Amino acid sequence: MRLTFGHQGDWIVDPRELALCLGVSATDLKRMERQGQVDARIKAGCSEDTGQTLVTVRLPDRGWRGTFDRSGTLIGEDFW
């Protein structure tokens, strides 16, 4: 999975890959997003995480956090 930033500062990951990480279909993920059931946050790393970007996506019953390096490569992830 790769993280890229759009022209307006928005972050972009492949929704199919994100859906796989969350254990749902891409169709279900899009439906949950439209219904306001997806909480997604992005945060620049600090201290020992400087230069990294943390992306957290929460659904009502599960979540995923990905850590990306400066080039946008996924270097770590957590699930719950």
Side-chain angles (χ1 to χ4, degrees), residues 23-80:
V24 298
S25 70
T27 301
D28 286 341
L29 181 61
K30 289 177 185 178
R31 178 184 49 77
M32 286 187 273
E33 183 177 20
R34 283 192 306 271
Q35 294 174 343
Q37 297 177 326
V38 178
D39 178 40
R41 299 173 189 260
I42 187 167
K43 178 180 156 190
C46 56
S47 299
E48 67 274 357
D49 296 330
T50 298
Q52 298 176 354
T53 303
L54 308 173
V55 176
T56 304
V57 181
R58 291 184 179 98
L59 303 180
D61 63 344
R62 66 192 80 191
W64 173 84
R65 178 176 299 114
T67 303
F68 296 84
D69 68 11
R70 291 179 194 268
S71 71
T73 300
L74 180 66
I75 58 173
E77 56 189 342
D78 297 304
F79 307 90
W80 64 91

Side-chain angles (χ1 to χ4, degrees), residues 8-29:
Q8 298 175 335
D10 51 336
W11 58 277
I12 303 166
V13 296
D14 185 324
R16 294 168 297 196
E17 291 182 49
L18 182 58
L20 283 173
C21 290
L22 290 161
V24 298
S25 70
T27 301
D28 286 341
L29 181 61

